[in-house]
Amino acid sequence: MRSVPPSISRVLDAALAVDPDREALVTRSRRLSYADLDAGADRAAHALRSLGVRTGDRVAASLPNDADVVLAFHGAMRLGAVWVGVNRALAPPEKRYLLEDSGAVVLLSDDDLPDLGVRQITLPDWRSAVAAAPDGPVGVDVDPAAAAGIAYTSGTTGRPKGAVHSQHGLLAPGTVLVETRGYDASLRKGDCFPFTILNMAVLTTLLVSQAGGCSVVMDRIDALGVAEWIREERITTWNGPPALLHSLATTEEVAAADLASLTEVWTGGADCPEA
């Protein structure tokens, strides 16, 4: 049985040792090798530190599915900060509640909203901070048992409640899945759920890095757009909601050839009829 990496800050180490030039992440704007992702994560950690974030601080993010949010996540983990994903679709009062309840010290956001009660860093400013940050490790020895992320419940029966997950807790599902599914460097996993859902960090970059494969973070949630991603990026495992799975299977404009690379499909987020 493979062992869990000592911390998320070390999750890229095995792939870096074997093939640092292997493709690790594909988004709409960028294609990153493991070496690129490693260097970008270091710069993101330095950028967060320059913004006043310290080990144990809560870092909130409400960013689109692209390289910026993935680098921010890895940077926060290397700094020993605690990640708080904030769904971009939430109304301002809902966002404010999550920020106040989590104790976030900063919000990385693509939309500068008033009265959220926390320092906001817009997407252009975040990109500038990362670009200006130094290279090399940030020099934090991350505790594997320390808090790494807070996932909030839906709030359907009251206020959303934050469930705190440790470094090892976020890494363990990927370790188990790689072992039991036999994933390796051939894995090309595509995901269209928002990366601001904590489970998406677990099932995208953390899972895929342990396999040494490539994580494809999609920016489309319609059948034609997802089919294009699958076809163009030769996705082998795709994860999406049941309604979208149904559309992929039944929409005439989606050809069987578009989905030919798939060997496995996951679905979740709602009931999925057996048919």
Side-chain angles (χ1 to χ4, degrees), residues 3 72 97 143 166 197 214 262 267:
S3 60
Y97 174 78
D143 179 0
S166 69
I197 300 172
C214 179
L262 289 175
T267 191

Side-chain angles (χ1 to χ4, degrees), residues 25-32 37 62-74 83 88 110 123 126-127 191-196 204-205 215-220 229:
L25 176 68
V26 174
T27 68
R28 179 63 66 185
S29 69
R30 300 177 69 179
R31 310 183 78 93
L32 300 180
L37 182 56
S62 185
L63 294 171
N65 275 13
D66 211 328
D68 307 287
V69 69
V70 181
L71 291 175
F73 171 78
H74 279 283
W83 182 258
R88 296 166 68 221
D110 62 340
L123 184 53
W126 170 241
R127 288 173 174 167
D191 290 86
C192 60
F193 283 118
F195 194 88
T196 48
T204 59
T205 181
S215 178
V216 181
V217 179
M218 303 175 176
D219 63 346
R220 296 279 295 273
W229 270 109

Side-chain angles (χ1 to χ4, degrees), residues 104-242:
V105 300
V106 68
L107 170 66
L108 309 177
S109 177
D110 62 340
D111 189 9
D112 191 6
L113 297 172
D115 302 323
L116 290 184
V118 68
R119 181 184 181 192
Q120 294 185 63
I121 307 299
T122 62
L123 184 53
D125 288 342
W126 170 241
R127 288 173 174 167
S128 296
V130 173
D135 294 319
V138 74
V140 174
D141 186 15
V142 180
D143 179 0
I150 302 176
Y152 275 89
T153 60
S154 61
T156 53
T157 59
R159 290 285 197 176
K161 300 171 181 64
V164 182
H165 297 265
S166 69
Q167 291 272 326
H168 260 198
L170 296 186
L171 287 165
T175 302
V176 173
L177 285 165
V178 171
E179 180 73 17
T180 58
R181 302 271 185 169
Y183 293 143
D184 57 22
S186 66
L187 175 65
R188 294 184 67 82
K189 187 167 185 294
D191 290 86
C192 60
F193 283 118
F195 194 88
T196 48
I197 300 172
L198 184 60
N199 201 34
M200 286 302 96
V202 172
L203 298 178
T204 59
T205 181
L206 298 187
L207 159 62
V208 174
S209 295
Q210 293 183 70
C214 179
S215 178
V216 181
V217 179
M218 303 175 176
D219 63 346
R220 296 279 295 273
I221 56 171
D222 61 291
L224 293 179
V226 169
E228 179 183 354
W229 270 109
I230 293 171
R231 181 184 68 248
E232 296 298 323
E233 295 301 332
R234 308 178 313 283
I235 303 299
T236 60
T237 297
W238 174 76
N239 184 30

Side-chain angles (χ1 to χ4, degrees), residues 8-39:
I8 294 172
S9 63
R10 303 267 60 88
V11 73
L12 306 181
D13 285 1
L16 286 167
V18 174
D19 185 2
D21 295 325
R22 183 184 301 159
E23 194 166 59
L25 176 68
V26 174
T27 68
R28 179 63 66 185
S29 69
R30 300 177 69 179
R31 310 183 78 93
L32 300 180
S33 68
Y34 274 91
D36 294 332
L37 182 56
D38 182 54

